[in-house]
Amino acid sequence: NDFDYTVVNSAHSLDEWNVHNLIFSLSYDAFVDQPDWKLAPQIRLFYKLPVSGKNVIDMPTFGGQLAINF
């Protein structure tokens, strides 16, 4: 088996990769303020901020969640 190591060493799929993100989150639970409610909404918003990375594509992400607790 004769193998050319220059081909393997130049393969980008074998390169190291990593990603680092900061995640900011805000949440509100109405049940904490109004414990006598039978149904209480819970709201959560988040923002993911890419800080650094190597050989990856990472984009900022914004999202949320709405829940009804009973």
Side-chain angles (χ1 to χ4, degrees), residues 13-62:
S13 63
L14 299 175
D15 286 346
E16 175 185 345
W17 59 274
N18 60 43
V19 63
H20 301 282
N21 295 306
L22 290 176
I23 299 175
F24 302 96
S25 177
L26 293 172
S27 62
Y28 174 71
D29 189 356
F31 189 73
V32 173
D33 296 333
Q34 303 291 335
D36 56 336
W37 286 5
K38 293 187 190 239
L39 295 175
Q42 184 178 15
I43 300 168
R44 179 175 178 258
L45 299 173
F46 71 90
Y47 180 71
K48 182 185 76 158
L49 177 66
V51 178
S52 66
K54 182 178 178 182
N55 293 328
V56 295
I57 297 174
D58 197 14
M59 299 178 60
T61 305
F62 177 78

